[in-house]
Amino acid sequence: LKCTEKYIYYLSFQSKSDIISTVEFNHTGELLATGDKGGRVVIFQREQESKNQVHRRGEYNVYSTFQSHEPEFDYLKSLEIEEKINKIRWLPQQNAAYFLLSTNDKTVKLWKVSERDKRPEGYNLKDEEGRLRDPATITTLRVPVLRPMDLMVEATPRRVFANAHTYHINSISVNSDYETYMSADDLRINLWNFEITNQSFNIVDIKPANMEELTEVITAAEFHPHHCNTFVYSSSKGTIRLCDMRASALCDRHTKFFEEPEDPSNRSFFSEIISSISDVKFSHSGRYIMTRDYLTVKVWDLNMENRPIETYQVHDYLRSKLCSLYENDCIFDKFECVWNGSDSVIMTGSYNNFFRMFDRNTKRDVTLEASRENSKPRAILKPRKVCVGGKRRKDEISVDSLDFSKKILHTAWHPSENIIAVAATNNLYIFQDKVN
Amino acid sequence: MLSKGLKRKREEEEEKEPLAVDAWWLDPGHASVAQAAPAVASSSLFDLSVLKLHHSLQQSEPDLRHLVLVVNTLRRIQASMAPAAALPPVPSPPAAPSVADNLLASSDAALSASMASLLEDLSHIEGLSQAPQPLADEAPPGRSIGGAAPSLGALDLLGPATGCLLDDGLEGLFEDIDTSMYDNELWAPASEGLKPGPEDGPGKEEAPELDEAELDYLMDVLVGTQALERPPGPGR
């Protein structure tokens, strides 16, 4: 992808009620899952390309919708547990069914999504409506046969991994061994086996003996894409730790520690808050990690711990507004970041429904907007520009006109093609690059 | 946490103003602050932070990240406003002497008044118990534990939380959200070696070795709590 290539607005799905809280393509890109604040999961499936319309790639249509989590009440602590889906992660496909993990603040669930296009007919003991027959009336036996039916997609919860997190779960990550996964909350990371729900191993614990000494929390965690013993986790102090599970059972001692020294010229009371890392992602190659803090996206080489190899300014014009953003709590917003399939372009969201892409090779970047007003089907997205001061050009928007309630926190990139999914509050936008 | 959306439409002539205003919030060591830094600016930021902290602690389940960041920011502000006060050592940049004096002179009363009222409010908050309790509390009869028992390698040897909220200043604020009572962890008296604090490269110390007597005691606790637990029901 050339970063300057324009995107075509492709499909917009407007969720009726709830704010989208997570977006994730599966490993082939055939499916796209969204989770929302109401605990629902909506899965979109890409349509097969038809021979009639070769120029038109498959669109994403709703494939399955289900209620993953319900609001719960913890009677012991007198607390309500939100049903909001914090993260969805797909398992690689191993048979006809699809599996995904979805989590709220406290409980992870494994869902199986499968198709049913046949149903058995001709039971001996039941009639067609399912009522039991009087066995005395049965004189002959027959073998039930499978008859075709309208395609039905069902989602069934296969595992519930509960009661292992005292604090709020912020991340889940499937291990490359496909047998285990981890869940991370503010202070601890647990390792699970998919088959075992009543036990998990605690692999990171940063809870101090006295909570009074607490100064740092875990903000995100992810397994290495190829090395099943390696994972990283980020902190609210802007640090990343890489851990090797072979070293010890409890990975409190990191193998590598990534931290960039603070820039003294940019120091302020808000330095720590804006350095807090909101997302960490391994590159597909496994050689780099990308981190998102409030104002920047950074790319780190696993072999260099003392500073990132690349830093991209997402919205540096906000640096002088930090006090206002602290006042309205926007400074605590947690933006995610994603790699494209070839690790050459990175993308992250901003305010005013803007999202940004950075081409690592050409060093060019672009700002695009996800909004219904500016996007018509098959229309090319126009690059946007924020004007910092001085004379504002016609198409530019000034910093003070930005709408801070329209934030793009969640985006996803198709694993191999130039198709992106952008969640803008309760709207999902899917864009793809121009096809000649 | 919901964002309080800020949609501002300003005239273009006014664009320059916000940039100047925000310079006040910069660290006292920053050059621009030396020019025009009314003491009330930092005090307002302090008040704002105290307000945020108060609001956060009033939640039934505070957002830990938000809380930690606000407290750390408050520490910075407090340290720069009253460097001579009896606070835990917090790394703070050296303040320009004149600015610091001005801040101290005018904001002392406001500072102590704010802190006092906050601490008083917090002491009234019905928070979670500060003393850790045995694991048995986690599983009242009839309720199976469907979740994790941390591996023995992750024993968290807690000392009972000590100290009065009013004594510890900012540190004491976290006592209210100490959820050790509900953790899946074993309780041990304060004499046990404490688990090392938050991950911290240079300052991290080795956990003390357990001697035989302590190990025996631990085993007793383990056996005792296991006897109290009911095994999880079938089919989970």
Side-chain angles (χ1 to χ4, degrees):
Chain A
L1 160 77
K2 288 197 185 66
C3 183
T4 49
E5 265 183 34
K6 289 154 190 165
Y7 274 72
I8 293 180
Y9 165 91
Y10 197 23
L11 164 77
S12 166
F13 171 81
Q14 186 155 4
S15 166
K16 291 194 175 62
S17 51
D18 278 316
I19 296 170
I20 299 171
S21 47
T22 183
V23 190
E24 187 83 353
F25 280 100
N26 75 338
H27 293 257
T28 61
E30 181 204 352
L31 299 180
L32 174 68
T34 61
D36 67 25
K37 205 159 162 260
R40 283 194 324 158
V41 171
V42 181
I43 300 177
F44 300 85
Q45 185 188 42
R46 195 172 185 199
E47 276 196 6
Q48 299 300 316
E49 296 176 24
S50 70
K51 292 199 176 72
N52 301 335
Q53 299 175 305
V54 172
H55 65 280
R56 185 180 156 130
R57 291 210 202 138
E59 291 188 358
Y60 283 86
N61 300 315
V62 178
Y63 178 66
S64 171
T65 302
F66 58 93
Q67 188 74 32
S68 170
H69 288 70
E70 298 273 5
E72 283 176 49
F73 194 77
D74 182 333
Y75 292 95
L76 195 62
K77 303 186 204 178
S78 269
L79 291 172
E80 198 174 275
I81 300 170
E82 265 188 46
E83 67 274 31
K84 172 168 75 87
I85 308 295
N86 293 336
K87 284 284 169 3
I88 288 174
R89 289 289 182 264
W90 291 93
L91 270 69
Q93 198 174 0
Q94 289 171 308
N95 54 36
Y98 305 102
F99 288 88
L100 61 81
L101 287 174
S102 72
T103 187
N104 68 350
D105 283 339
K106 298 287 185 178
T107 303
V108 185
K109 293 187 184 180
L110 176 69
W111 287 89
K112 175 180 176 183
V113 181
S114 51
E115 294 180 2
R116 190 196 289 263
D117 61 357
K118 299 189 242 309
R119 69 156 188 250
E121 285 177 17
Y123 283 104
N124 292 291
L125 294 174
K126 289 191 291 190
D127 65 18
E128 293 308 316
E129 276 82 49
R131 290 183 296 237
L132 289 175
R133 279 201 181 116
D134 179 1
T137 65
I138 297 170
T139 53
T140 60
L141 286 179
R142 55 185 176 167
V143 176
V145 292
L146 292 173
R147 291 251 143 77
M149 57 179 263
D150 289 338
L151 178 66
M152 196 170 77
V153 181
E154 354 173 75
T156 46
R158 302 296 293 177
R159 303 273 188 274
V160 177
F161 305 92
N163 300 327
H165 285 281
T166 310
Y167 307 100
H168 292 173
I169 297 175
N170 52 56
S171 310
I172 46 176
S173 179
V174 178
N175 204 349
S176 52
D177 63 9
Y178 304 156
E179 289 181 0
T180 57
Y181 76 93
M182 69 160 142
S183 54
D185 66 31
D186 294 313
L187 298 179
R188 297 195 180 98
I189 302 180
N190 293 330
L191 180 73
W192 301 85
N193 182 301
F194 281 111
E195 301 303 317
I196 301 170
T197 58
N198 62 355
Q199 194 175 19
S200 71
F201 287 102
N202 177 245
I203 53 177
V204 173
D205 188 339
I206 66 167
K207 180 173 186 280
N210 282 320
M211 279 295 273
E212 304 150 5
E213 293 163 13
L214 182 68
T215 58
E216 192 175 14
V217 298
I218 297 170
T219 53
E222 195 180 52
F223 268 118
H224 191 282
H226 313 309
H227 304 311
C228 57
N229 53 286
T230 304
F231 65 93
V232 292
Y233 69 92
S234 59
S235 84
S236 56
K237 286 197 167 171
T239 65
I240 307 104
R241 288 170 177 83
L242 184 139
C243 301
D244 185 336
M245 295 195 292
R246 294 171 302 190
S248 68
L250 186 61
C251 297
D252 274 3
R253 282 181 175 75
H254 50 261
T255 303
K256 294 198 185 196
F257 181 77
F258 300 84
E259 186 179 30
E260 181 173 29
E262 194 178 359
D263 177 3
S265 65
N266 268 336
R267 250 198 126 183
S268 76
F269 289 124
F270 309 110
S271 290
E272 183 178 324
I273 300 180
I274 64 170
S275 76
S276 172
I277 291 172
S278 50
D279 195 14
V280 64
K281 293 268 171 47
F282 273 101
S283 63
H284 292 92
S285 64
R287 288 178 51 198
Y288 306 103
I289 46 176
M290 167 168 56
T291 58
R292 176 68 154 97
D293 52 61
Y294 190 62
L295 297 177
T296 72
V297 182
K298 296 183 167 128
V299 177
W300 306 74
D301 186 315
L302 285 190
N303 296 319
M304 186 158 70
E305 297 169 55
N306 60 349
R307 60 179 175 83
I309 56 170
E310 296 156 29
T311 299
Y312 301 95
Q313 302 296 330
V314 180
H315 37 217
D316 200 54
Y317 44 78
L318 297 182
R319 197 177 289 274
S320 57
K321 311 280 183 189
L322 293 180
C323 187
S324 309
L325 295 163
Y326 177 67
E327 197 175 357
N328 64 15
D329 270 346
C330 281
I331 205 175
F332 298 101
D333 286 336
K334 291 184 288 185
F335 293 92
E336 292 170 8
C337 53
V338 291
W339 299 87
N340 75 335
S342 59
D343 298 335
S344 59
V345 183
I346 57 184
M347 174 169 68
T348 189
S350 178
Y351 294 105
N352 210 71
N353 280 346
F354 288 171
F355 58 99
R356 304 261 283 137
M357 285 185 201
F358 303 91
D359 188 319
R360 298 178 60 216
N361 300 324
T362 66
K363 301 303 178 194
R364 291 160 86 158
D365 62 79
V366 70
T367 304
L368 300 168
E369 183 178 357
S371 79
R372 301 217 66 161
E373 295 81 34
N374 296 332
S375 305
K376 296 180 177 55
R378 316 213 69 71
I380 294 175
L381 291 185
K382 203 170 56 171
R384 311 285 287 153
K385 192 154 161 50
V386 176
C387 157
V388 182
K391 203 162 156 51
R392 184 175 75 90
R393 292 211 190 97
K394 197 180 84 153
D395 286 335
E396 292 178 354
I397 180 166
S398 76
V399 183
D400 298 307
S401 303
L402 294 174
D403 188 341
F404 289 90
S405 68
K406 292 183 178 169
K407 51 195 84 178
I408 293 182
L409 305 173
H410 314 288
T411 61
W413 205 309
H414 189 287
S416 53
E417 295 185 38
N418 290 325
I419 302 174
I420 57 173
V422 175
T425 321
N426 59 341
N427 290 327
L428 177 73
Y429 294 85
I430 301 179
F431 302 104
Q432 72 167 24
D433 65 349
K434 191 174 159 63
V435 178
N436 293 323
Chain B
M1 143 194 18
L2 292 178
S3 70
K4 298 158 190 70
L6 195 73
K7 188 174 176 68
R8 292 179 282 174
K9 295 222 181 281
R10 298 178 72 117
E11 298 302 321
E12 287 175 28
E13 304 80 57
E14 293 175 41
E15 272 173 16
K16 287 181 186 159
E17 262 183 38
L19 295 174
V21 167
D22 267 41
W24 292 357
W25 306 117
L26 290 174
D27 208 84
H30 196 277
S32 64
V33 177
Q35 299 161 8
V40 71
S42 280
S43 163
S44 300
L45 189 59
F46 178 86
D47 289 343
L48 174 64
S49 301
V50 164
L51 210 67
K52 280 187 180 302
L53 184 57
H54 200 157
H55 178 75
S56 192
L57 286 169
Q58 280 185 327
Q59 309 288 321
S60 49
E61 208 176 8
D63 178 347
L64 214 53
R65 173 184 165 261
H66 184 265
L67 192 60
V68 161
L69 290 175
V70 169
V71 167
N72 291 350
T73 303
L74 199 48
R75 281 195 182 116
R76 278 199 195 206
I77 296 166
Q78 201 172 29
S80 71
M81 287 172 80
L87 287 170
V90 171
S92 60
S98 56
V99 173
D101 286 345
N102 288 338
L103 289 174
L104 273 175
S106 55
S107 66
D108 231 9
L111 170 61
S112 48
S114 300
M115 283 300 286
S117 70
L118 171 66
L119 293 173
E120 199 183 324
D121 285 347
L122 288 173
S123 69
H124 290 316
I125 289 175
E126 284 177 333
L128 301 168
S129 161
Q130 295 167 11
Q133 306 233 342
L135 186 59
D137 280 358
E138 191 60 5
R143 179 179 163 197
S144 62
I145 301 174
S151 62
L152 284 180
L155 278 177
D156 186 354
L157 307 175
L158 294 175
T162 54
C164 171
L165 192 66
L166 296 171
D167 291 338
D168 295 325
L170 279 174
E171 271 61 41
L173 294 173
F174 276 113
E175 288 191 16
D176 271 348
I177 63 159
D178 180 48
T179 56
S180 55
M181 174 181 172
Y182 304 106
D183 286 346
N184 262 348
E185 287 147 8
L186 302 173
W187 171 81
S191 59
E192 297 299 330
L194 293 177
K195 183 153 171 42
E199 181 67 38
D200 206 350
K204 198 158 156 57
E205 295 167 27
E206 294 288 315
E209 298 275 331
L210 295 174
D211 64 19
E212 216 173 307
E214 290 171 341
L215 208 51
D216 280 345
Y217 179 82
L218 261 177
M219 289 309 297
D220 285 344
V221 173
L222 273 172
V223 169
T225 54
Q226 279 179 7
L228 286 168
E229 272 185 50
R230 294 182 67 186
R236 253 198 95 96

